[in-house]
Amino acid sequence: MARQILGGPTDEGRASYQVYLNVCEHCGSGQQLGQGELVDVGSEVMEMASCDAQHVRAHVGPKQPAATQTIPRQVRRSVVRRDAGRCVVPGCRHATYVDVHHIDPRVEGGGHEPDNLVCLCGAHHLALHRGLLSIQGKVGTGLVFRHADGTEYGGTPKPHAADVRSKVFSALRSMGFRESEARLGIERAAAHVDASADLATLLKQALSALTEGIGKAARTR
């Protein structure tokens, strides 16, 4: 409903809606303008915006620099048309104001190649950046969709395990771990604990798995 009211450009090469976010170039934190005040937004909102947005740099002077798109217009247009302008998550055919998502995140080296881009509705895009959904693979070789507990999307997830894993994902991201690192840590931790494990147990195991991996990488170098 909010997106419908906000409207937005009809050009498939441009991000489908416009919400003003003020982004710090140094730390990457963001704020949204609301009722004349800047309000902090969560990291998942910033990650959604980094996938598919229009950028306008702060500027003082008579001539404002031209706005730029996160994804080149011609690439975005081809991806939207390839996916028929609909969310690619199985069972979802939402086609209004979809976002274009980077399967491999841009901050982790993911590029704008069409094989790394898919259309997602706002709900599934947010769920992915909150750790409630995962997408693995490439468009050309096939995508795998899973719930937070690892269950194949469309199956019956375990509510407790899914809730705990999504909270551990958020905790790891707030500690500075990248999306892929957080998912890997949870995957490794889940192999050593029961599905009924609580938040503290899974988080401790995930941190142990990640710090051990970082230590091995450092010793290898």
Side-chain angles (χ1 to χ4, degrees):
M1 184 183 298
R3 291 179 178 218
Q4 182 67 39
I5 293 172
L6 287 169
T10 57
D11 179 4
E12 292 174 340
R14 293 180 58 188
S16 59
Y17 61 99
Q18 296 180 329
V19 178
Y20 174 84
L21 289 174
N22 185 52
V23 183
C24 175
E25 293 185 350
H26 300 290
C27 68
S29 62
Q31 297 174 311
Q32 183 174 339
L33 187 64
Q35 296 184 344
E37 296 183 1
L38 290 173
V39 181
D40 292 336
V41 298
S43 60
E44 69 274 15
V45 175
M46 296 304 301
E47 287 156 5
M48 287 178 67
S50 72
C51 279
D52 190 11
Q54 185 179 61
H55 300 267
V56 180
R57 295 185 63 84
H59 178 73
V60 177
K63 188 176 180 180
Q64 178 67 31
T68 59
Q69 288 286 128
T70 299
I71 304 168
R73 290 193 179 193
Q74 66 274 21
V75 175
R76 190 184 195 281
R77 192 175 294 117
S78 69
V79 170
V80 171
R81 292 178 180 175
R82 181 200 66 199
D83 294 343
R86 296 180 179 275
C87 180
V88 300
V89 175
C92 180
R93 302 303 294 165
H94 192 89
T96 304
Y97 300 114
V98 296
D99 302 334
V100 176
H101 168 72
H102 293 72
I103 299 170
D104 291 332
R106 294 180 63 229
V107 296
E108 298 183 33
H112 300 315
E113 303 82 10
D115 207 30
N116 189 47
L117 301 171
V118 292
C119 288
L120 295 178
C121 68
H124 281 123
H125 198 188
L126 184 60
L128 189 145
H129 286 294
R130 283 180 171 171
L132 295 168
L133 168 70
S134 71
I135 302 176
Q136 298 174 323
K138 294 292 182 182
V139 176
T141 54
L143 299 173
V144 177
F145 300 82
R146 296 189 185 281
H147 293 285
D149 69 334
T151 304
E152 186 173 349
Y153 199 86
T156 305
K158 302 177 180 65
H160 173 76
D163 179 60
V164 168
R165 290 194 190 188
S166 67
K167 289 178 178 176
V168 170
F169 178 85
S170 296
L172 292 173
R173 293 290 287 124
S174 69
M175 293 176 189
F177 288 100
R178 294 179 173 183
E179 281 193 25
S180 62
E181 292 173 330
R183 296 185 195 281
L184 179 62
I186 293 171
E187 182 181 331
R188 289 178 175 174
H192 298 284
V193 299
D194 189 79
S196 61
D198 59 18
L199 174 61
T201 300
L202 187 62
L203 178 58
K204 181 179 179 180
Q205 190 69 39
L207 284 170
S208 177
L210 287 171
T211 53
E212 180 181 347
I214 293 171
K216 287 183 178 178
R219 288 194 294 273
T220 300
R221 289 195 299 269

